[in-house]
Amino acid sequence: MRQTTKEALAQALETLLLKRSIEKISVKDIAAQCGVNRQTFYYHFHDIYDLIEWTLVREIESYIDLHFEKETDWQEKIRLLFHYFYLHKPVILHAYDSTNRIQYERIMVKRAAETVGEIIELYPQAQRVPEDKREFICMIYARGITALFLEWVEAGMPDERHVKLEDYFVIMDGSMENALEKFLK
Amino acid sequence: MDTSNRMVRFGLKKAFEYIERDPEENLPKLMDWVDRFAPKGDEGFPVQRAAFRKVIEDRDCAMHRLMIRIFTQTDKEVLKAVFENFIINGNLVGWPRQEELRERYGCNIPWAILLDPTSACNLHCTGCWAAEYGNRLNLSFDEIDSIIMQGKELGVYIYIYTGGEPLVRKRDLIALCRKHSDCQFLCFTNATLIDEEFAQEMLSVKNFMPAISVEGFEAATDERRGSGTYRRVVEAMSLLKEKHLPFGISCCYTSQNFASISSDEYFDQMVEWGASFVWYFHYMPIGNDAVPELLPTPKQREFMYHKIREARRNKPIFAMDFQNDGEFVQGCIAGGRRYFHINANGDCDPCVFIHYSNANIREMSLLDVLRSPIFMAYHDGQPFNDNHLMPCPMLENPDKLREMVERTGAHSTDLQSPETAEHLCEKCKAYAEHWSPTASQLWECSQREKESYPAGE
């Protein structure tokens, strides 16, 4: 029951974002769109960005379940994610304006750092690197990809080939081992 | 304010990482950090900070044991939220803002707002004053939301629910906690509506703390509140303890129960239940159906005065007495000086016990409520007595309330059975006369003690 309310709110937000941009959408609008009241919204979410985060994470996870294979390498995963965002261009452009960039940065950095963290753990050297150093490496990588993504959105999300992902991969490839080695205890 | 706020939050995160590792070792480090951040002069609560430091450093004192208990047995995220909302927002951030506005508007600006989300209750206890309000009134989610939004503008970050049974509206209360994640919410409750699902929600919002009414052991509780109630309350407390959720207890003392609810055995039981604090309230003879015989005698009240001070020294639970602890807050805190009360009809009472008003939150802003006639009469009249053991304009100084109500034209906001101020104050007259000599004697003693230990004890 609770899950469906959350889903309904997520759906309502997406519907509204197809029509207009985020600064013209209030909690009241979202609640009305799915036939509940404001308090129901706040029972589940702290604010609109909390809802956006929940929706994004959930949708990306189901997209990943569908498209990522065990053998998909990390470069292909990033390509697929950018493609996913490209497919949702109208909603994302409506959800983003430069005044709320900080909100998206927060969400993206947090999630990206978690993912990088999982990748780091796969390296045998990781066990011999202090925790705070590993966290630092995560943040550097997370901030890099987040900036790349947000700048692409700010440019109006042209064809995803404009992101220069291939150049990014050239720099990143093998760099993580290098970073870990430098922090070995 | 913004920059220092951000620094505070960063520092807080670091401080909590230290404490999590070893509270005994690292609590003093947190205190050093609080000292560094605290504003200069009186605004930075120097006396309170000194008291905290003493507690942190003296490992044998009861408050030290309580603190360690809180740090080791409370959910870390909840503890962090309480620290951030209650200590940082509620005091260090809120207080300077409140002071600035007190100066600017020349009226009281509260530290906390008490409000009744509903007059409804799921229990029907003998003698409950909340029951007098009847069962059909509610402050809507939007109304409470607006009160909190206006409150935050004034620097108020602490909201205390009473009623009625607030948890009749538990979904709305959770929604308000989630929306106002920078505020600390306390809730007087009978606890019978706290279940697994609600406990999970409390863990998820982190800023909701119950103060559970328990007034004695099984027989006394069930007799007054219905059979099986005691067991349900105890079960709720054990659920909270199991989830590492902090909570307190609230007790009303009367001529009948004062000895049992202040016994060593009862204090030990409250600690065992897992309560961090206990808030004692002196019985108030309000309402047309009040029973003045329940008022404690001077001897009984003096007994509570000593007993609660003794418990603060010996028992690892923080005990407060709303009527006998006036010395720590310079007398009456009502009328918006530190708090006021909004009932489920929107009427703004100066005190949770004083139901006379000229202001309704549905018709005016929070600031205008604080500038309404009866609130200004409180502002101008406080303290009502230089002896802070006689703080109340009703109970110990009944002529004052009678005069203020008459002068301001405040009307009774009692929804069930309006009572005149004459009638109410008449019931307190004899009490006040009898209590006065004891109060003077106790007050002189405590003043002498303070003079001989000026650093505070």
Side-chain angles (χ1 to χ4, degrees), chain B residues 385-413:
Chain B
N385 198 312
D386 292 332
N387 180 341
H388 296 328
L389 285 166
M390 306 175 69
C392 180
M394 171 189 72
L395 187 68
E396 296 102 348
N397 309 277
D399 290 339
K400 303 245 167 156
L401 182 66
R402 195 179 354 220
E403 188 277 323
M404 287 195 292
V405 169
E406 195 188 313
R407 173 160 49 93
T408 60
H411 62 88
S412 169
T413 58

Side-chain angles (χ1 to χ4, degrees), chain B residues 74-85:
Chain B
T74 309
D75 178 88
K76 293 289 181 282
E77 292 297 313
V78 171
L79 190 61
K80 197 172 132 191
V82 172
F83 190 82
E84 197 163 336
N85 294 351

Side-chain angles (χ1 to χ4, degrees), chain B residues 18 130 250 319 444:
Chain B
Y18 286 133
S250 90
E444 274 169 34

Side-chain angles (χ1 to χ4, degrees), chain A residues 2 38-39 42-46, chain B residues 141-142 145 171-172 178-179 181:
Chain A
R2 186 152 2 116
R38 275 172 81 241
Q39 54 264 54
Y42 287 114
Y43 185 78
H44 298 287
F45 299 105
H46 169 59
Chain B
F141 172 89
D142 289 337
D145 184 34
R171 284 183 70 85
D172 284 342
R178 202 177 314 275
K179 179 161 193 264
S181 57

Side-chain angles (χ1 to χ4, degrees), chain A residues 36 51 53 68 86 141 168:
Chain A
V36 298
L51 169 61
E53 180 173 355
F68 284 18
Y86 188 67
Y141 279 86
Y168 175 73

Side-chain angles (χ1 to χ4, degrees), chain B residues 114-118 129-130 160-166 186-189 341-342 352:
Chain B
L114 265 78
L115 62 165
D116 301 352
T118 179
W129 62 268
I160 305 177
Y161 295 123
T162 167
E165 169 50 51
L186 251 78
C187 181
F188 288 103
T189 173
H341 173 234
I342 305 176
V352 76

